[in-house]
Amino acid sequence: AQSVTQPDIHITVSEGASLELRCNYSYGATPYLFWYVQSPGQGLQLLLKYFSGDTLVQGIKGFEAEFKRSQSSFNLRKPSVHWSDAAEYFCAVVASSNTGKLIFGQGTTLQVKP
Amino acid sequence: ETGVTQTPRHLVMGMTNKKSLKCEQHLGHNAMYWYKQSAKKPLELMFVYSLEERVENNSVPSRFSPECPNSSHLFLHLHTLQPEDSALYLCASSQDRQGSSGTQYFGPGTRLLVL
């Protein structure tokens, strides 16, 4: 069965430092992968997505992610974190191309120290 | 209004009440989704509608009843809920269900508390 694992429940980084959030997936075919961000009390905002082609994808707010098939990973990165990046981040994979069903990881809470 | 909107944003109800959550998308999409987000658990898909037809019911109890009168509106009717149903209910929409067109865009959610 398809699954998504975000190994880090909580991460704290200093403002200006680089960031990498890990995501591992389990899927038989070529996956469709997403990263979403959720601020407190808000819905999910799409950061970026991977469907095919270039394995390094650029997103909004300076985020990027790299798809590595050999490692079944889709890690999210940002070279310099801003205080406004503090939020919860979710990795997701399409589990059914027929229904569009998404399976989400548990989420990683990012705290940014001044 | 732009994007996906949800009303109400907050709802408190007793276990014997009947209430409805409303979702409206202003994106011209054809598919709509209900998700449940509970504390300490991953987001769970509840229902998927495509062109007003339900295409997925993810083993959701019958006390949750969805309705999709047209491609822009989605409702979740609630009755005789349990305290464990307290959660954030998120609505999403996508152009279609497959490929890049299946990218889902989310509303702000309705925070539900069942007493």
Side-chain angles (χ1 to χ4, degrees):
Chain A
Q2 300 92 343
S3 66
V4 176
T5 302
Q6 294 179 244
D8 305 304
I9 302 299
H10 191 275
I11 282 183
T12 300
V13 300
S14 298
E15 190 168 16
S18 63
L19 172 70
E20 182 170 34
L21 302 182
R22 295 183 291 165
C23 172
N24 295 100
Y25 66 89
S26 172
Y27 190 72
T30 299
Y32 293 162
L33 295 158
F34 303 84
W35 274 100
Y36 287 88
V37 61
Q38 184 179 34
S39 298
Q42 300 299 314
L44 276 67
Q45 182 182 22
L46 178 69
L47 283 177
L48 47 77
K49 59 188 177 183
Y50 172 79
F51 284 89
S52 64
D54 194 346
T55 56
L56 184 64
V57 294
Q58 302 296 320
I60 63 171
K61 304 185 179 187
F63 286 93
E64 66 178 25
E66 186 171 13
F67 169 62
K68 292 185 177 180
R69 184 187 301 275
S70 61
Q71 299 177 20
S72 298
S73 68
F74 189 56
N75 294 347
L76 182 71
R77 300 194 295 248
K78 186 170 185 178
S80 178
V81 170
H82 188 262
W83 64 267
S84 60
D85 293 324
E88 191 159 19
Y89 292 79
F90 294 93
C91 181
V93 65
V94 171
S96 168
S97 59
N98 182 43
T99 66
K101 177 179 179 178
L102 283 177
I103 290 182
F104 286 83
Q106 289 270 19
T108 297
T109 300
L110 173 64
Q111 183 179 2
V112 181
K113 293 190 301 183
Chain B
E1 292 279 15
T2 59
V4 181
T5 58
Q6 292 185 240
T7 54
R9 293 294 310 277
H10 301 273
L11 179 62
V12 180
M13 59 185 290
M15 290 192 288
T16 58
N17 291 158
K18 289 185 179 180
K19 297 287 184 182
S20 295
L21 309 185
K22 178 184 176 183
C23 175
E24 184 174 0
Q25 58 94 2
H26 310 267
L27 300 169
H29 289 169
N30 295 316
M32 297 187 77
Y33 311 75
W34 278 118
Y35 286 87
K36 176 183 179 182
Q37 186 178 28
S38 306
K40 310 295 185 186
K41 292 178 68 175
L43 282 89
E44 303 171 75
L45 178 69
M46 300 176 73
F47 302 103
V48 180
Y49 274 82
S50 179
L51 296 171
E52 299 120 59
E53 177 184 351
R54 191 189 310 179
V55 297
E56 175 88 18
N57 177 345
N58 202 31
S59 303
V60 179
S62 59
R63 58 185 183 271
F64 295 91
S65 176
E67 179 190 2
C68 188
N70 55 63
S71 59
S72 297
H73 294 87
L74 184 64
F75 294 88
L76 189 61
H77 304 298
L78 316 171
H79 63 98
T80 59
L81 293 192
Q82 305 298 311
E84 59 265 29
D85 296 323
S86 299
L88 181 68
Y89 289 86
L90 291 162
C91 175
S93 71
S94 63
Q95 180 62 53
D96 292 297
R97 288 176 285 128
Q98 298 178 352
S100 179
S101 299
T103 300
Q104 295 176 31
Y105 297 88
F106 285 79
T110 294
R111 175 70 63 185
L112 174 66
L113 177 62
V114 181
L115 300 175

